[in-house]
Amino acid sequence: MEDVVIIGAGPAGLSAGIYASRYLMKHVIIGSLPGGLITTAHKVENYPGFNSLSGWELGQKFEEHARILGANLVADEATSIVKEPDGTFRIATPGSVYQSKAVLLAYGTKRRHLDVPGEGKFAGRGVSYCSVCDGAFFRDRVVGVIGGANAACDGALYLSDVAREVYLIYRKGALRAEPSMVDLLTHNPKIKTILNTNVTSLFGEEQLESVTLDKPYQGAVSLDLDGLFIEIGSEPDHHILTGLGVELDEENYIRIDARQHTSTPGVYAAGDITTGSAKFQQAITAASEGAIAAMSIFQDLKKNG
């Protein structure tokens, strides 16, 4: 019997594991991507203690720290959570079943899709949802990035080191990334920004060849592209919560209190899936929520015997 099973191996889950080890709680961290989505970031320059490093490096440091302190990381995906009549939990993965006194939900979010014609057809054949993961396949090619927040702008900057030309396409009238990042984009001759514009469909034979825009750019509504990177943020995927009764807000984020409790006793949540971190979605806020959750779980288990 574990004291807590932590579902998710990103900053929130690994931070919780670090503190769970310090509290001498028996725990397992279940996650298919050690380090979480931060590992796909081209560069991280706002995490305290590190002037600049790649998201992959930061994720690896989180994982290494957790392992050194004794965290048990399982590279797997939780498929169900059942609360037993005695108040304990049964967590299943494709290969194992775990019993625990508490559960911490820290599984982060999933990438948003455009949901336009051709997107599914060209997924993996010109369409990608991770600039850093797949950018190297488009060396000296012409690519587009959709989005206007930090992820999209960071992706465009990374791709400008790889591709011949980068089009940053955003549906609003101004980019909303950090000002320092927007400044770098503005002065990068390989990046062309197209504002107030949506991609409405994708075309090609076996591979992506072009996209259609909902308004003309330089006199044409068709833009020739070898690759398209969709970086329009992420959203929670709560299929695992079926039957647990965990309360969500109107945007599908898990409601938590100041100590990371959810509406279901014994179930805690931390990171980008919560109402606490949803509006900022930064590694530092996810990590802090993971630490708070571990403390709360320790105190609650101690109080309840």
Side-chain angles (χ1 to χ4, degrees):
M1 174 75 71
E2 307 292 336
D3 289 316
V4 58
V5 168
I6 300 167
I7 301 175
L14 293 174
S15 175
I18 288 168
Y19 279 83
S21 293
R22 293 178 65 83
Y23 287 125
L24 302 181
M25 287 193 290
K26 189 179 179 183
H27 67 283
V28 173
I29 303 173
I30 302 172
S32 58
L33 180 61
L37 279 182
I38 191 68
T39 60
T40 66
H42 167 43
K43 191 175 290 186
V44 178
E45 295 183 329
N46 57 2
Y47 197 87
F50 303 99
N51 292 333
S52 179
L53 75 172
S54 71
W56 176 258
E57 290 174 304
L58 184 59
Q60 291 298 297
K61 288 182 182 294
F62 287 156
E63 181 186 357
E64 180 184 10
H65 193 171
R67 287 189 185 278
I68 286 174
L69 290 179
N72 179 16
L73 271 72
V74 177
D76 210 339
E77 183 175 351
T79 54
S80 68
I81 307 170
V82 176
K83 189 169 186 178
E84 306 283 21
D86 64 358
T88 62
F89 297 88
R90 185 174 76 251
I91 300 93
T93 72
S96 300
V97 175
Y98 302 88
Q99 298 286 139
S100 70
K101 300 173 186 176
V103 173
L104 173 58
L105 307 171
Y107 48 78
T109 53
K110 64 174 183 177
R111 303 281 192 180
R112 284 197 181 103
H113 289 203
L114 275 183
D115 295 325
V116 299
E119 180 180 4
K121 175 182 177 180
F122 297 112
R125 293 189 289 171
V127 171
S128 171
Y129 300 89
C130 178
S131 303
V132 176
C133 306
D134 299 326
F137 297 114
F138 296 87
R139 185 168 299 279
D140 298 323
R141 310 298 289 274
V142 178
V143 301
V145 179
I146 297 181
N150 283 346
C153 293
D154 183 57
L157 287 168
Y158 165 71
L159 289 166
S160 71
D161 292 334
V162 178
R164 183 171 78 250
E165 197 170 25
V166 181
Y167 290 92
L168 180 60
I169 307 165
Y170 187 42
R171 61 189 176 89
K172 295 186 177 181
L175 300 175
R176 57 188 184 93
E178 295 175 0
S180 59
M181 196 177 294
V182 174
D183 186 61
L184 288 173
L185 280 166
T186 303
H187 293 92
N188 190 316
K190 294 177 70 174
I191 301 174
K192 295 177 174 62
T193 302
I194 306 174
L195 299 174
N196 295 308
T197 302
N198 293 285
V199 168
T200 57
S201 55
L202 287 64
F203 293 94
E205 293 297 330
E206 295 302 314
Q207 297 284 325
L208 176 70
E209 296 174 10
S210 67
V211 301
T212 300
L213 309 176
D214 65 354
K215 61 171 27 178
Y217 173 72
Q218 295 186 344
V221 294
S222 180
L223 182 64
D224 292 340
L225 295 175
D226 299 303
L228 183 67
F229 294 85
I230 300 171
E231 299 274 12
I232 55 175
S234 56
E235 60 190 0
D237 180 6
H238 297 314
H239 68 277
I240 196 174
L241 300 185
T242 302
L244 270 186
V246 173
E247 184 182 353
L248 309 178
D249 75 355
E250 59 280 359
E251 294 182 311
N252 217 30
Y253 291 93
I254 298 174
R255 291 190 186 278
I256 55 168
D257 65 13
R259 297 183 64 242
Q260 311 302 135
H261 295 106
T262 72
S263 59
T264 299
V267 179
Y268 305 73
D272 289 358
I273 55 171
T274 73
T275 51
S277 283
K279 302 305 180 186
F280 200 34
Q281 294 197 334
Q282 297 287 297
I284 190 170
T285 54
S288 70
E289 286 196 358
I292 294 168
M295 177 193 69
S296 296
I297 294 166
F298 172 73
Q299 292 176 342
D300 292 344
L301 290 179
K302 187 176 181 180
K303 178 176 63 177
N304 296 329

